[in-house]
């Protein structure tokens, strides 16, 4: 049985300043981290060699190796050798689970059992192609993490049970062995990792969506529509008439002039006859706009001509008709040229990029990580110049480690069927384990050809999942638009229900996003992050905690039934969130069945859920729109005190308010303290006797409220 060994170690129980971890070199030139007499980390070997396939353990030469604790819980190891490849091996008990490194769920798992792969884009795979967020960081169920601070190419091998080995194409290497601190949780390892590397920036509220886009707005015209610009207006209009909330849209390729429509830094005048009027229209209708970009130069385009004249392109090893080579952005002039030309988009009002590719062979694999980081940097800079930090939404499918501070992500090209959805859910959980918190997927699935098409059922289930994703991003168009055949009103109804739910959850999601900027903790959380002592949570790829309050179990197969496991630790009981009738005990499994109008979602005892209409987006149909906030309260006498940190701001600017709920079983009293929560908040108490919730309006002076003689739902 796997145990979280860290919980037994002395350090986990003491303030970290009193910790006494030691690091020592073993006789076989490995490193041991000990806590008293307990080995907490066994770094069995330091590896070095002239080829990535021939590395061997350093034996009796530790020249160039240094190691020490830089904080009471983080050891830094530095290695310089004359060899081109360096790495390390770690051993733990054979039932240890290793997580992290890649977003893609190899073998449909959230752990890396049996995986051996490089730290690069994963290419075409089961369920999803190009699910490429990654980081040289792994986390183990035995209670430590290891971060290798490099953008060099490398590989991780998890094929030996209880062992991991990594090797990088670099003569020097720095890695950090990270132990838990504070409450001793695995979450504290992610916090320390992201403190050393980087944390996400706050997205603008519009970035969280719902956002609606087409893979190709230049086709599939309806009614009087005759170009892409009008096609988008048609989407905007349908969202308006159906009262479906939205905050943004984006233009995928093709939208520019030139060869394969990319490389001239413009809008194709045939499809976008008046980009500036079009942009103003979108703004007036409450939409932000992003455009597709990639580091590729297609024959005959402006970027290609400038690059060939200056020798900026990586050598072409593709057949003619390929997608164009990448610019080598390590050349400062190439970097500057790209950045200067992108500024055009910001200048006409574009508020972010969908950043594609970087791992399709347009450059040698060994520079993928370095080049992707440079491209994300320059894209970020062009937006920051115009809109300031958090004033725009950039998202990429390929992003490495520190780039999480420069871009958010989507999970690549998923298959438009239940396999695609299942893998997508698992990839969302895994993105969290490499600390990419702001994440979304192409709702309905990206690959829609042949047998792959979002059936009304797959699509509806995916919409529910996206409602409980950090970003709700909806792919329509190209003969798959809910309000056009073959779909009908019932699909439109689910779009409306889920998009509007996501919009209403924005206060909650935004608060979690803010927490992620401060701690690195993801919003979609593997069950074990919240329930580390429950060994049944180590390998669950199909349910997750959404922030700390929700347990979410998407339907990922046909038919609407699934089993749901209720983890032990975070809560003694869980309440079904929508009907508020069924309560489940931790440690049990239930079979549940839901129609297309719902999904299995649960709240913990003591949950505090801020919801409401705080961002107008396209809701121009609401007269005299003003923000309103509602706090849903789920007190339980099993939980004497619970807290939620509400972020009351836009982008990075705002304040946090600590909401505290207390209960007193003997007095049968429940109390909430709203701190300095500003404008007219509505409280909704969920108590026994009324599943509708007991509503109360609160004025700002009234910071604390108590109800007595009440029974809770748990
Ligand atoms: C640690 O090992 C030393 C030497 O073997 C022994 O004297 C000591 O009692 C051990 N301490 C614990 C806490 O087991
Ligand atoms: C460390 O791992 C190696 C290889 O599995 C093993 O031989 C050694 O005994 C371990 N050391 C400790 C202290 O656990
Ligand atoms: C390791 O090196 C030390 C000092 O250089 C030497 O005394 C020792 O014999 C060496 N051991 C082996 C196994 O080569
Ligand atoms: C490794 O090399 C770097 C720079 O080349 C140097 O700063 C560092 O001190 C070296 N570390 C060790 C342990 O030799
Ligand atoms: C790992 O892969 C091997 C070979 O493909 C297979 O036999 C084994 O069952 C796999 N183990 C796990 C735990 O998936
Ligand atoms: C070694 O590098 C090659 C080329 O990048 C790669 O295909 C291979 O997977 C690597 N092998 C290991 C063990 O890292
Ligand atoms: C702006 O929106 C109006 C109203 O839908 C439409 O008639 C007009 O053509 C749009 N203009 C542009 C440039 O998109
Ligand atoms: C566009 O690029 C393709 C190769 O990808 C090339 O065959 C074609 O000639 C180019 N067209 C123009 C107008 O340059
Ligand atoms: C390692 O990196 C060098 C450049 O630093 C490159 O020439 C070489 O091909 C790379 N090796 C592998 C196996 O990727
Ligand atoms: C992945 O790419 C391959 C090759 O282009 C394609 O056949 C397959 O449908 C794609 N799968 C997904 C999930 O997009
Ligand atoms: C989804 O599509 C893929 C690729 O076409 C196929 O292999 C898989 O079996 C499909 N899954 C389901 C559940 O139909
Ligand atoms: C759930 O359904 C499965 C398959 O029908 C069954 O084996 C299992 O016992 C059920 N579990 C519960 C808790 O009802």
């Amino acid at each position: 049985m796997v145990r979280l060994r860290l919980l037994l170690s002395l350090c986990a129980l003491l303030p970290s300043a009193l910790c006494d971890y030691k690091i020592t070199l073993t006789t076989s030139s490995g490193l041991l981290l000990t806590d008293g007499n307990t080995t907490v980390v066994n770094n069995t070997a330091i590896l070095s060699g002239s080829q990535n396939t021939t590395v061997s353990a350093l034996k009796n030469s530790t020249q160039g190796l240094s190691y020490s604790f830089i904080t009471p819980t983080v050891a830094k190891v530095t290695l310089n050798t004359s060899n081109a490849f360096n790495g390390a091996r770690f051993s733990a008990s054979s039932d240890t689970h290793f997580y992290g490194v890649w977003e893609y769920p190899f073998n449909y798992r959230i752990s890396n059992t049996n995986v051996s792969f490089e730290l690069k884009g994963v290419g075409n795979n089961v369920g999803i192609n190009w699910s490429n967020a990654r980081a040289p960081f792994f986390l183990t169920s035995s209670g430590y993490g290891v971060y290798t601070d490099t953008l060099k190419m490398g590989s991780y091998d998890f094929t030996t049970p209880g062992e991991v080995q990594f090797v990088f194409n670099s003569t020097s290497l720095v890695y950090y062995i990270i132990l838990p601190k504070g409450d001793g949780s695995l979450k504290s390892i992610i916090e320390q990792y992201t403190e050393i590397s980087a944390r996400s920036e706050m997205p603008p509220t519009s970035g969280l969506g719902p956002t609606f886009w087409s893979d190709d707005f230049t086709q599939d015209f309806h009614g009087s529509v005759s170009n892409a610009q009008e096609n988008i207006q048609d989407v905007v209009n349908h969202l308006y008439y159906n009262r479906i909330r939205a905050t943004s849209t984006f233009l995928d390729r093709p939208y520019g002039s030139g060869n394969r429509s990319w490389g001239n830094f413009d809008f194709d005048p045939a499809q976008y006859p008046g980009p500036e009027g079009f942009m103003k229209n979108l703004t007036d209708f409450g939409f932000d706009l992003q455009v597709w970009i990639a580091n590729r130069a297609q024959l005959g385009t402006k970027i290609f001509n400038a690059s060939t004249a200056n020798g900026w392109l990586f050598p072409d090893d593709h057949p003619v008709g390929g997608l164009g080579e990448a610019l080598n952005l390590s050349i400062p002039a190439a970097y500057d040229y790209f950045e200067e030309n992108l500024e055009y988009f910001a200048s006409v009002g574009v508020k972010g990029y969908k950043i594609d590719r970087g791992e399709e062979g347009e450059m040698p694999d060994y520079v993928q990580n370095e080049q992707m980081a440079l491209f994300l940097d320059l894209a970020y800079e062009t937006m920051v110049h115009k809109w300031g930090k958090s004033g725009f939404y950039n998202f990429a499918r390929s992003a490495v480690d520190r780039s999480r501070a420069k871009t958010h992500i989507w999970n690549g090209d998923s298959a438009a069927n239940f396999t695609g959805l299942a893998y997508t859910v698992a990839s969302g959980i895994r993105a969290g384990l490499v600390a990419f918190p702001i994440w979304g997927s192409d709702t309905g699935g990206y690959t829609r050809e042949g047998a792959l098409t979002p059936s009304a059922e797959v699509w509806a289930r995916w919409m529910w999942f996206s409602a409980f994703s950090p970003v709700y991003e909806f792919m329509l168009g190209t003969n798959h638009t809910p309000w056009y055949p073959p779909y009908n009103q019932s699909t439109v109804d689910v779009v409306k229900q889920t998009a509007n739910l996501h919009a209403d959850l924005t206060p909650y999601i935004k608060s979690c996003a803010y927490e992620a900027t401060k701690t690195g903790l993801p919003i979609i959380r593997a069950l074990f992050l919240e329930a580390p002592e429950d060994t049944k949570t180590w390998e669950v790829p199909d349910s997750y905690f959404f922030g700390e309050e929700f347990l979410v179990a998407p339907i990922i197969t046909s038919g609407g039934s699934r089993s749901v496991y209720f983890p032990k630790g975070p809560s003694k009981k869980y309440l079904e969130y929508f009907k508020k009738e069924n309560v489940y005990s931790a440690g049990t499994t239930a079979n549940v069945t839901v129609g297309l109008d719902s999904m299995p979602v649960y709240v913990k005892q003591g949950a505090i859920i801020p919801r409401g209409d705080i961002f107008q987006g396209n809701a121009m149909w609401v007269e005299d729109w003003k923000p309103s906030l509602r706090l849903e309260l789920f007190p339980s006498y099993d939980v004497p005190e619970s807290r939620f940190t509400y972020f009351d701001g836009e982008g990075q600017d705002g304040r946090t308010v600590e909401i505290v709920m207390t209960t007193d079983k003997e007095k049968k009293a429940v109390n909430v303290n709203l701190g300095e929560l500003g404008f007219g908040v509505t409280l909704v108490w969920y108590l026994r006797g009324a599943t509708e919730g007991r509503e109360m309006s609160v004025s700002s002076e009234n910071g604390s409220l108590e109800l007595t003689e009440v029974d809770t739902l748990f």
Side-chain angles (χ1 to χ4, degrees):
M1 194 170 101
V2 181
R3 262 185 201 290
L4 198 58
R5 218 159 293 127
L6 62 105
L7 291 176
L8 303 174
S9 96
L10 191 63
C11 271
L13 305 171
L14 294 172
S16 50
L18 298 178
C19 258
D20 197 19
Y21 289 126
K22 291 210 160 47
I23 183 165
T24 50
L25 191 68
T26 66
T27 50
S28 54
S29 302
L31 296 169
L32 282 184
L33 274 66
T34 50
D35 177 17
N37 292 351
T38 312
T39 297
V40 287
V41 180
N42 186 353
N43 181 178
T44 339
I46 314 270
L47 304 168
S48 190
S50 58
Q51 298 293 328
N52 65 347
T53 45
T54 59
V55 289
S56 56
L58 284 189
K59 282 278 157 37
N60 202 20
S61 160
T62 50
Q63 205 186 352
L65 176 73
S66 70
Y67 48 88
S68 63
F69 274 93
I70 55 166
T71 77
T73 50
V74 177
K76 179 177 181 179
V77 181
T78 311
L79 179 66
N80 291 338
T81 72
S82 53
N83 285 322
F85 293 86
N86 288 292
R89 183 186 304 140
F90 290 76
S91 297
S93 67
S94 62
D95 52 6
T96 301
H97 304 257
F98 294 91
Y99 306 96
V101 190
W102 307 277
E103 173 187 21
Y104 180 71
F106 291 100
N107 309 314
Y108 187 51
R109 298 181 86 122
I110 55 166
S111 73
N112 289 324
T113 306
N114 254 2
V115 182
S116 176
F117 199 71
E118 291 173 274
L119 187 71
K120 65 178 184 184
V122 300
N124 293 345
N125 266 300
V126 180
I128 320 167
N129 290 344
W130 314 111
S131 185
N132 289 337
R134 56 197 183 271
F137 167 72
F138 67 85
L139 182 65
T140 76
S141 61
S142 58
Y144 64 92
V146 177
Y147 169 45
T148 305
D149 187 3
T150 182
L151 284 173
K152 298 290 185 193
M153 188 47 63
S155 60
Y156 281 81
D157 184 344
F158 296 94
T159 52
T160 306
E163 196 174 287
V164 48
Q165 170 171 317
F166 58 80
V167 178
F168 284 89
N169 186 352
S170 177
T171 57
S172 67
L173 211 57
V174 173
Y175 61 92
Y176 299 88
I177 304 173
I178 306 169
L179 297 161
K181 76 171 190 190
D183 62 1
S185 70
L186 291 178
K187 289 198 284 191
S188 72
I189 295 171
I190 294 180
E191 289 194 50
Q192 293 174 89
Y193 155 53
T194 53
E195 194 175 343
I196 300 166
S197 69
R199 292 177 180 148
S200 165
E201 262 184 19
M202 200 57 193
T205 305
S206 66
L208 302 174
T211 181
F212 291 83
W213 70 289
S214 168
D215 196 33
D216 185 351
F217 272 124
T218 71
Q219 51 158 298
D220 189 19
F221 297 158
H222 297 264
S224 62
V225 168
S226 65
N227 60 32
Q229 193 175 295
E230 291 167 10
N231 208 7
I232 294 165
Q233 188 69 45
D234 189 50
V235 171
V236 168
N237 292 344
H238 277 86
L239 293 170
Y240 181 92
Y241 291 124
N242 284 294
R243 308 290 193 253
I244 296 170
R245 301 297 290 255
T247 62
S248 63
T249 181
F250 56 87
L251 310 185
D252 204 292
R253 207 188 55 88
Y255 69 89
S257 71
N259 204 341
R260 287 178 187 257
S261 100
W262 167 248
N264 288 345
F265 303 98
D266 63 357
F267 296 92
D268 176 359
Q271 295 293 339
Y272 297 91
E276 293 179 26
F278 166 65
M279 211 78 67
K280 176 163 186 326
N281 251 11
L282 284 179
T283 307
D284 290 348
F285 278 83
F287 287 78
D288 280 352
L289 178 78
Q290 296 103 26
V291 298
W292 182 99
I293 62 169
N295 176 14
R296 295 198 88 153
Q298 189 66 32
L299 197 61
T301 58
K302 182 175 172 184
I303 192 171
F304 179 88
N305 295 338
S307 297
T308 42
N310 290 292
W312 294 336
L313 294 183
F314 283 107
D316 189 351
D317 54 5
H318 286 102
V320 172
L323 298 173
E325 298 305 310
L327 281 67
N328 181 350
L329 300 173
S330 306
I331 302 166
Y335 184 103
D336 292 345
Y337 174 86
F338 216 131
E339 182 173 345
E340 278 157 27
N341 280 279
L342 276 187
E343 305 271 5
Y344 164 74
F345 292 114
S347 78
V348 294
V350 170
K351 282 200 171 171
Y353 307 112
K354 171 179 184 164
I355 305 172
D356 211 0
R357 307 193 177 157
E359 23 38 352
E360 292 191 348
E362 64 271 51
M363 61 185 79
D365 282 355
Y366 69 85
V367 295
Q368 258 189 32
N369 298 338
E370 292 162 329
Q371 290 291 319
M372 202 65 218
L374 290 168
F375 189 51
L376 294 171
D377 280 354
L378 75 83
Y380 172 88
E381 283 160 21
T382 65
M383 284 291 146
V384 166
H385 292 161
K386 173 76 180 181
W387 307 111
K389 277 188 173 190
S390 299
F392 58 92
Y393 187 72
N394 281 4
F395 60 113
R397 74 178 190 195
S398 179
V400 194
D401 191 25
R402 284 195 170 85
S403 290
R404 72 174 66 80
K406 304 292 173 70
T407 186
H408 308 294
I409 57 171
W410 93 99
N411 80 325
D413 298 353
S414 49
N417 67 8
F418 277 116
T419 307
L421 176 55
Y423 273 74
T424 291
V425 172
S427 72
I429 297 171
R430 292 192 59 130
L433 293 172
V434 281
F436 284 88
I438 311 299
W439 177 100
S441 65
D442 298 341
T443 301
Y446 175 82
T447 304
R448 304 175 172 191
E449 55 197 20
L452 287 173
T453 186
S455 66
E457 185 189 12
V458 166
W459 216 352
R461 298 303 183 191
W462 209 310
M463 291 176 211
W464 280 100
F465 169 60
S466 289
F468 285 88
S469 292
V471 174
Y472 187 140
E473 174 253 273
F474 191 99
M475 182 173 157
L476 43 59
T478 61
N479 304 313
H480 299 92
T481 297
W483 41 85
Y484 293 125
Y487 302 97
N488 60 33
Q489 187 60 35
S490 61
T491 296
V492 177
D493 290 343
V494 186
V495 181
K496 180 172 179 172
Q497 196 186 359
T498 54
N500 293 1
L501 170 62
H502 183 82
D504 203 66
L505 284 166
T506 298
Y508 178 78
I509 297 171
K510 212 168 63 169
S511 300
C512 295
Y514 186 77
E515 185 192 13
T517 68
K518 298 294 170 198
T519 63
L521 291 175
I523 304 176
I524 294 185
R525 297 184 185 172
L527 296 186
F528 69 78
L529 287 180
E530 294 296 323
E533 285 166 88
D534 184 343
T535 57
K536 285 190 180 160
T537 63
W538 291 119
E539 291 284 352
V540 181
D542 62 357
S543 62
Y544 58 91
F545 282 97
F546 190 58
E548 266 183 40
E549 310 290 58
F550 287 112
L551 170 65
V552 179
I555 300 288
I556 50 162
T557 55
S558 179
S561 297
R562 61 163 290 160
S563 73
V564 180
Y565 177 67
F566 297 94
K568 284 191 277 188
S571 189
K572 282 188 189 156
K573 291 174 185 161
Y574 297 84
L575 172 73
E576 191 282 325
Y577 179 59
F578 294 109
K579 293 201 172 130
K580 303 177 176 74
E581 287 167 0
N582 294 333
V583 173
Y584 300 88
S585 294
T588 66
T589 301
N591 288 340
V592 298
T593 303
V594 296
L596 297 183
D597 61 349
S598 190
M599 128 185 244
V601 177
Y602 308 87
V603 282
K604 294 194 319 190
Q605 292 173 304
I608 299 170
I609 315 265
R611 285 184 56 168
D613 194 359
I614 58 163
F615 186 82
Q616 185 172 13
N618 72 334
M620 304 300 168
W621 58 84
V622 181
E623 265 179 57
D624 302 324
W625 184 90
K626 57 178 180 5
S628 65
L629 183 68
R630 194 167 86 250
L631 281 186
E632 297 183 342
L633 302 169
F634 297 89
S636 162
Y637 290 123
D638 286 340
V639 181
E641 182 184 293
S642 54
R643 286 167 182 270
F644 187 88
T645 305
Y646 176 64
F647 176 67
D648 177 18
E650 175 55 40
Q652 60 176 3
D653 303 319
R655 56 178 188 152
T656 54
V657 179
E658 191 84 348
I659 300 159
V660 185
M661 181 161 68
T662 54
T663 67
D664 186 327
K665 191 171 186 168
E666 268 165 34
K667 287 201 213 147
K668 289 187 76 173
V670 294
N671 177 290
V672 68
N673 191 315
L674 302 173
E676 290 167 24
L677 203 55
F679 60 93
V681 184
T682 302
L683 294 186
V684 190
W685 293 94
Y686 289 98
L687 297 162
R688 182 152 301 167
T691 51
E692 282 300 300
R694 192 185 293 185
E695 277 202 20
M696 301 171 84
S697 291
V698 189
S699 68
S700 52
E701 313 92 69
N702 219 343
S704 178
L705 270 119
E706 184 160 274
L707 296 181
T708 52
E709 293 306 313
V710 295
D711 289 315
T712 72
L713 283 177
F714 295 92

